[in-house]
Amino acid sequence: VQQIIIRAVQPARQREDQAAAIKAGKQSLKGKPTKQEQRKEAETLPLSRPQFLEVLLRAALVLDSRASVADAFKSFADRIITRRVMLPPLSPFPRGLTLVEGEYQDTLLARRKTIREAWERFGCSLNAFKAMAQLLKLCDRSFTAKHVQSIFALAKRPTPECRASRGRPGLSYEEFCEALTRLALVWRRTAP
């Protein structure tokens, strides 16, 4: 999988680096970086959405090379992503659930003061949210700070790339309620 990611990322990164070097009109003082340095740098950078989709398609084709691309991707999504990755707390969360009458809304309303205080204290940043998970003693070998970071990222509403700006780093109250619900799923799963 690591080689698939490198193949997907490397050509685009090289084009971006060359364009940046041309704009700057400068060469690095050390000279040309080695292949190992280039690979290490490519591994540390985040994937763009098209690169991520390319990685998924390549992985699907590796696992089911005899099927067509569409069939291989569909079976990969059904067998791997849905059954192994998209499990609670990473499964999709129904948006607008707070507006629907029921047990979820009743619980949020009954505990709104406590949840509001927790949001004011722990919803302001990722580090504060991680601290809350550690205070709740949710983090162990099977559920680490990376899982908490994933829950934080999943709870944030996506913003279009054209409007990407330096917004607030924390969660809104609704996003915090969603993240808290995802943490509750982890607690319920690990509780005796």
Side-chain angles (χ1 to χ4, degrees):
V1 174
Q2 185 179 10
Q3 292 174 351
I4 292 173
I5 293 171
I6 296 299
R7 286 187 199 142
V9 174
Q10 203 167 24
R13 298 277 190 237
Q14 286 175 347
R15 286 191 300 270
E16 290 171 4
D17 291 345
Q18 288 172 353
I22 290 171
K23 281 184 179 179
K26 299 177 182 177
Q27 288 290 347
S28 66
L29 297 175
K30 293 191 290 185
K32 195 172 187 178
T34 65
K35 285 188 177 186
Q36 185 177 11
E37 290 172 342
Q38 289 175 345
R39 182 181 219 169
K40 197 172 196 177
E41 183 180 336
E43 288 175 3
T44 60
L45 297 173
L47 294 176
S48 66
R49 184 183 175 107
Q51 291 169 336
F52 179 71
L53 291 174
E54 183 179 348
V55 168
L56 290 180
L57 282 172
R58 286 178 186 256
L61 290 172
V62 166
L63 293 175
D64 196 2
S65 59
R66 295 182 185 187
S68 68
V69 174
D71 291 339
F73 188 68
K74 184 178 184 307
S75 67
F76 177 76
D78 292 339
R79 288 184 305 136
I80 306 296
I81 295 175
T82 304
R83 293 187 185 159
R84 293 185 187 175
V85 178
M86 298 306 290
L87 300 173
L90 300 180
S91 58
F93 192 83
R95 304 287 182 193
L97 191 60
T98 57
L99 303 175
V100 178
E101 288 187 30
E103 188 178 350
Y104 181 74
Q105 185 186 40
D106 293 343
T107 304
L108 289 178
L109 288 173
R111 307 277 186 246
R112 66 181 171 264
K113 182 178 179 185
T114 307
I115 294 172
R116 186 89 168 166
E117 289 173 0
W119 170 67
E120 290 170 353
R121 185 172 176 186
F122 300 110
C124 59
S125 69
L126 174 60
N127 290 334
F129 191 73
K130 285 181 187 178
M132 181 184 72
Q134 291 172 345
L135 287 172
L136 294 172
K137 297 185 178 167
L138 291 177
C139 295
D140 58 9
R141 287 186 179 178
S142 63
F143 187 76
T144 64
K146 287 186 179 183
H147 292 98
V148 176
Q149 187 173 353
S150 296
I151 288 174
F152 184 88
L154 285 170
K156 287 189 75 72
R157 299 284 191 270
T159 57
E161 290 182 19
C162 62
R163 284 196 244 157
S165 62
R166 293 278 182 205
R168 56 174 175 48
L171 299 172
S172 69
Y173 182 74
E174 291 80 19
E175 293 169 343
F176 184 77
C177 289
E178 178 183 333
L180 202 59
T181 304
R182 290 178 184 273
L183 285 178
L185 290 171
V186 172
W187 176 78
R188 191 180 85 201
R189 191 177 59 191
T190 59

